[in-house]
Amino acid sequence: MIELLDTIVRGTGLGALYALIAIGFVIIFRATGVLNFAQPIFMIFGTYMSYLVAVQWGLPFPVAVVIAVCAGALVAMACERVALRPMVGRPPFSAALVTVGLFAAGLVVTTKLIGHGVITSGDPWGLSNFCLGGERREMAVAITGVPAACDGGVSIAHTDLAKIIAATLAIAALGWWLTRSRYGLAMRATASDPEVAMAQGISAGKVFALSWGIAGAFAALAGVLLGTAPGGVAALGALIALKAIPAIIVGGLDSVKGAVVGGLIVGLSEALTKTYQPGIAPWLGSNFDIVMPYLIMLVVLMIRPQGLFGTKEVQRV
């Protein structure tokens, strides 16, 4: 039972990370109808900016978070203005191919910035854990800085707790903003019917830029949280963000709520598979947890193609 609870906490933290990235996909898709494959680049850029500010410049970690999130939003808005705005009116498939090009170019740039090593934003939460419902074996401390084992309780890592809290606060703020602010209502109106929204005086260009800015900010926040992981993050860590694609397919491509639920399903399935599959089905091989989110995605596509919370396309006959 303790192992199960420990796995659930770890999977929820992972799912919170995927949910932040998946929401960026959904926000852009709802506003522009384009699936943005450049989202991983904004995430790894957030990782690099937090490392630059917190480690290289020596500023406090909260300042690094703010700068990384703002920088991620600005870079995303610049990409939209330079590369995607000229594609307005073109087929969404063509615009999606442009985002693939942005992803490839961004991966080259971030690899130049980060190099072939790994970076980490330091140790803002101690990279430690606290013992819930058990006791520490104080005499078992053998390595300085490494907490003792938790007997009879669940070890909850501070990094997982930070991911869950940060994602919850960010998603709640976005939900409040979308429903209460003027720009949030404009985004919802444009996503619902762009032509009617423009007829009412809503600037589609501002809505597109805003949606990319929000997506970039959420991806950068996910990158900041990823950058605090023990062991550091390499430039190719951007590929982690692609696991958000199964999350949005499972939850529904046009649903913010679906992105959250899909992210949690993917994170929990990955963590549970990593813990129990080697003992239950070792014949599946190592690293099967990486495949699990895509298997779930295939099953959902066969049963409910629009996802759990997605809008079913209506066809007139």
Side-chain angles (χ1 to χ4, degrees), residues 273-316:
T273 305
K274 190 178 184 65
T275 301
Y276 294 106
Q277 176 263 324
I280 296 174
W283 46 272
L284 289 173
S286 58
N287 297 326
F288 187 75
D289 55 294
I290 299 174
V291 181
M292 195 63 189
Y294 298 97
L295 286 180
I296 295 175
M297 181 184 74
L298 289 176
V299 171
V300 172
L301 279 175
M302 288 188 289
I303 299 173
R304 191 177 169 83
Q306 73 271 26
L308 300 177
F309 298 94
T311 303
K312 187 175 182 180
E313 186 177 356
V314 177
Q315 293 183 343
R316 297 181 184 279

Side-chain angles (χ1 to χ4, degrees), residues 49-68 120-124 224:
M49 285 303 298
S50 62
Y51 160 77
L52 184 69
V53 176
V55 178
Q56 296 293 321
W57 297 353
L59 296 177
F61 184 72
V63 177
V65 175
V66 173
I67 292 177
T120 175
S121 298
D123 192 9
V224 171

Side-chain angles (χ1 to χ4, degrees), residues 100-261:
V100 174
L102 283 175
F103 170 72
L107 198 58
V108 172
V109 172
T110 51
T111 302
K112 289 285 185 183
L113 292 173
I114 296 175
H116 296 289
V118 297
I119 58 174
T120 175
S121 298
D123 192 9
W125 297 289
L127 296 182
S128 183
N129 58 55
F130 63 90
C131 185
L132 183 64
E135 294 182 354
R136 295 280 191 195
R137 288 183 292 173
E138 297 295 342
M139 298 303 293
V141 178
I143 304 174
T144 303
V146 177
C150 177
D151 279 343
V154 182
S155 295
I156 299 179
H158 291 175
T159 51
D160 290 331
L161 203 59
K163 290 174 187 173
I164 296 169
I165 294 174
T168 302
L169 292 177
I171 293 167
L174 177 66
W176 179 88
W177 186 81
L178 284 176
T179 55
R180 299 300 179 86
S181 74
R182 180 182 174 188
Y183 283 106
L185 292 175
M187 285 187 65
R188 292 170 59 196
T190 306
S192 176
D193 194 327
E195 294 181 355
V196 173
M198 285 189 286
Q200 296 296 319
I202 295 174
S203 171
K206 289 182 180 178
V207 171
F208 292 166
L210 197 57
S211 64
W212 275 75
I214 294 172
F218 269 66
L221 178 60
V224 171
L225 296 170
L226 183 69
T228 62
V233 180
L236 290 178
L239 300 178
I240 293 174
L242 294 179
K243 290 184 182 177
I245 292 180
I248 58 175
I249 298 298
V250 170
L253 198 53
D254 59 348
S255 171
V256 173
K257 181 169 66 176
V260 176
V261 174

